[in-house]
Amino acid sequence: QVRLVESGGGLVEPGGSLSLSCAASGSIASIYAMGWYRQAPGKQRELVAGITSSGSTNYANSVKGRFTISRDVAKKTLYLQMKSLKPEDTAVYYCKFTLSRSRFEDYWGQGTQVTVSS
């Protein structure tokens, strides 16, 4: 059983910074990719940033230059550093691990709220 737990969300003023963490537990060998997604009210869930097992990263255009995704393999933890936050970054942020077993399997965290407001 794989479990992902996000932390680090909260309320921040525009221009501020926040860091999110996603700690994994259970059998998570053969990680194919990891990513952060977000879902704002009334909108579809979207990819914010992703990182592959080799360390290649990709970002949504809206967050390039402001967000940084990273991972600590030994700690089984995924991170998202967010700076220069804007009100439009307000959303519930989810982490996802894709494992490569006999087939690809996706596991999601429960989500953490990020609110950017003055």
Side-chain angles (χ1 to χ4, degrees):
Q1 186 75 5
V2 175
R3 185 171 180 237
L4 305 179
V5 178
E6 296 109 336
S7 61
L11 173 64
V12 64
E13 292 186 347
S17 300
L18 274 178
S19 291
L20 305 182
S21 298
C22 172
S25 60
S27 176
I28 60 164
S30 302
I31 294 176
Y32 177 75
M34 297 174 280
W36 286 98
Y37 292 72
R38 67 187 181 188
Q39 187 166 19
K43 294 188 176 182
Q44 288 189 331
R45 191 173 296 188
E46 62 175 358
L47 174 68
V48 175
I51 185 167
T52 67
S53 58
S54 64
S56 297
T57 59
N58 64 289
Y59 296 91
N61 288 334
S62 59
V63 307
K64 279 181 182 176
R66 300 188 298 121
F67 290 12
T68 302
I69 188 171
S70 62
R71 71 195 195 285
D72 186 323
V73 175
K75 293 183 178 180
K76 302 179 184 179
T77 303
L78 180 69
Y79 303 98
L80 184 68
Q81 205 167 16
M82 306 182 290
K83 61 180 183 180
S84 302
L85 283 160
K86 305 175 181 179
E88 51 263 43
D89 294 319
T90 296
V92 178
Y93 284 69
Y94 300 89
C95 61
K96 185 181 83 168
F97 279 33
T98 299
L99 306 186
S100 175
R101 293 173 169 169
S102 56
R103 55 186 173 87
F104 290 116
E105 298 177 359
D106 289 336
Y107 296 89
W108 292 88
Q110 83 287 355
T112 184
Q113 177 70 45
V114 171
T115 303
V116 184
S117 175
S118 55

